[in-house]
Amino acid sequence: MSVRLGILSLLAEAPSHGYQLKADFEARTGGVWTINVGQVYTILDRLQKDGLAEPADRDADGDRRPWAITEQGRAVVERWLTEATVSPAPPRDEMLIKVLVAVGRAPEVALAVIDHQRTALFRLLQEARRATPGSADLAERLMAEAVRARHEADLAWLDRCEALVTSSPTPPSDSRTEDPR
Amino acid sequence: MSVRLGILSLLAEAPSHGYQLKADFEARTGGVWTINVGQVYTILDRLQKDGLAEPADRDADGDRRPWAITEQGRAVVERWLTEATVSPAPPRDEMLIKVLVAVGRAPEVALAVIDHQRTALFRLLQEARRATPGSADLAERLMAEAVRARHEADLAWLDRCEALVTSSPTPPSDSRTEDPR
DNA sequence: CGACACATGTAACACGTTACATGATTTG
DNA sequence: CAAATCATGTAACGTGTTACATGTGTCG
């Protein structure tokens, strides 16, 4: 859904065509979130089907196929940008799932998983800090900072997990914790 | 993918059946990430197809259909828990996409979007802090803290966005508005 | 010429969501 | 008895991924 709305939002700025929209989308996200070109064409078809975009006049173009946003589409973008993205349940996250599932096991397992995760995350964070020498364009910098901020938050959370798992009243072998075999 | 592995990981602890696995998965994630039961049955079928799970002996059960993990499945879980989840590109996030796309527009637009987002996030954070009175089980607490940590990180990032957008050399009407060709 | 960027599309597949259908058991 | 919970499944749909097919233009 987010890619679709991102594309539509770009169309709200100016008419464009598939290949260009892909490039623009990736530029806006600092080159971090690439998309398959094919998907853009699919999205454009669906946007048309939903009355949010339509083929635009192809002035003096080559083999490009320009698209424009419709009034309805403009309204959708307007709403999207105005209303904040806040779900009660945050998007599912693989790392959280992994750690939380592991925490349900024996403490040693949980602690090992937490430690692996933390080590890897820490390495990532170091790389992230080393990169972005203040250079680059706005999008790249913002994306880099977002990633950094999340990594730091996740690291702090992992520490917290470790603390709680270690100090918890050790629910040792209840119900289905002990694995047979 | 994460749900599938979460389910498989639960199966690695003990044989179980669809309905139970759904409940366990949700319990592990503090009740925050619910899944449709139907999906669990689909996942189980696919796991069997891939040789990671298999129907288990139905000892003295009613109409329940127990599943067990296979050796191969156990290896997969082992790998999943051991290798950290660290992708160079973090999962696509709607809020980030929205803000980054908006930042490509005129500063007023970007600032408005940032502000809406921040207000909403702040409210969420307050609720999150008010909840979890230290009570509840481990999973619930950890999940609540993860959510809180992410919200705080996102809020800090939004401030950073605002600062950079405000202080940036105002690329006022360029970007992709012109570029004919 | 050959490689690469530009440009558009299709097909197959995986994952997730919502909704629906069906039935047994438990409990107020 | 009626309602809720337990339990299993299917169908339709939306979104995203990978891979493939095809063709033009440019540049070394």
Side-chain angles (χ1 to χ4, degrees):
Chain A
M1 201 83 244
S2 13
V3 177
R4 175 186 155 118
L5 281 163
I7 295 292
L8 189 60
S9 188
L10 290 174
L11 266 187
E13 297 180 24
S16 186
H17 61 280
Y19 198 83
Q20 182 66 42
L21 287 167
K22 170 206 152 78
D24 286 349
F25 183 90
E26 295 181 349
R28 293 283 174 106
T29 56
V32 169
W33 289 326
T34 61
I35 36 181
N36 185 287
V37 209
Q39 196 194 342
V40 177
Y41 297 108
T42 310
I43 286 178
L44 285 170
D45 286 341
R46 297 211 252 242
L47 284 175
Q48 180 177 27
K49 195 199 67 188
D50 296 341
L52 306 182
E54 60 191 2
D57 314 322
R58 42 204 316 170
D59 328 277
D61 43 10
D63 40 2
R64 291 178 297 164
R65 197 144 120 59
W67 292 81
I69 196 168
T70 63
E71 274 314 311
Q72 216 193 120
R74 209 171 281 281
V76 168
V77 169
E78 181 65 22
R79 220 180 308 135
W80 186 56
L81 289 178
T82 304
E83 292 171 357
T85 293
V86 277
S87 50
R92 286 210 276 259
D93 181 281
E94 183 164 353
M95 189 200 85
L96 291 194
I97 291 181
K98 183 184 292 188
V99 171
L100 287 172
V101 163
V103 165
R105 298 228 194 156
E108 323 95 55
V109 178
L111 291 177
V113 170
I114 290 171
D115 209 61
H116 285 138
Q117 197 62 50
R118 185 167 39 194
T119 304
L121 247 186
F122 188 69
R123 195 166 303 139
L124 263 196
L125 179 58
Q126 280 181 315
E127 285 173 31
R129 287 210 245 245
R130 234 178 292 124
T132 40
S135 72
D137 68 342
L138 233 196
E140 265 180 66
R141 286 186 59 181
L142 289 179
M143 181 51 116
E145 297 206 12
V147 168
R148 199 175 40 66
R150 290 257 172 116
H151 283 171
E152 284 167 359
D154 286 351
L155 274 173
W157 179 72
L158 285 171
D159 285 342
R160 195 79 184 96
C161 285
E162 187 183 62
L164 282 183
V165 166
T166 319
S167 76
S168 86
T170 40
S173 56
D174 76 317
S175 58
R176 30 199 318 301
T177 314
E178 91 288 42
D179 46 16
R181 174 237 298 275
Chain B
M1 203 83 242
S2 14
V3 178
R4 174 186 155 116
L5 281 162
I7 295 292
L8 189 60
S9 187
L10 290 174
L11 266 188
E13 297 180 24
S16 185
H17 61 280
Y19 198 83
Q20 182 65 42
L21 286 167
K22 170 206 151 81
D24 286 348
F25 182 90
E26 294 181 349
R28 294 282 175 106
T29 57
V32 169
W33 290 326
T34 62
I35 36 181
N36 185 288
V37 210
Q39 197 194 341
V40 177
Y41 296 110
T42 309
I43 286 177
L44 286 171
D45 286 341
R46 296 211 250 241
L47 284 175
Q48 180 178 26
K49 194 200 67 185
D50 296 341
L52 307 182
E54 61 192 0
D57 314 321
R58 40 204 317 168
D59 328 277
D61 43 11
D63 40 1
R64 290 177 299 164
R65 198 142 121 59
W67 293 80
I69 196 169
T70 63
E71 275 313 311
Q72 215 193 122
R74 207 171 283 280
V76 168
V77 169
E78 182 63 23
R79 220 180 308 136
W80 186 57
L81 289 178
T82 303
E83 292 171 357
T85 293
V86 278
S87 50
R92 286 210 276 259
D93 181 281
E94 183 163 353
M95 191 200 87
L96 291 193
I97 290 181
K98 183 184 293 188
V99 170
L100 288 172
V101 163
V103 164
R105 297 229 196 155
E108 323 97 54
V109 179
L111 291 176
V113 169
I114 290 170
D115 209 61
H116 286 139
Q117 198 61 50
R118 185 169 38 195
T119 305
L121 247 186
F122 188 69
R123 196 166 302 139
L124 263 196
L125 179 58
Q126 280 182 316
E127 285 174 30
R129 288 210 245 244
R130 234 179 292 123
T132 39
S135 70
D137 67 340
L138 233 195
E140 264 179 68
R141 287 186 59 181
L142 288 179
M143 181 51 116
E145 298 206 11
V147 169
R148 198 174 41 65
R150 290 259 171 114
H151 283 172
E152 285 168 358
D154 287 351
L155 274 173
W157 180 72
L158 285 171
D159 286 341
R160 195 79 185 96
C161 287
E162 188 182 60
L164 281 183
V165 167
T166 319
S167 76
S168 87
T170 38
S173 55
D174 75 327
S175 63
R176 36 183 319 299
T177 320
E178 89 287 58
D179 78 18
R181 170 241 300 270

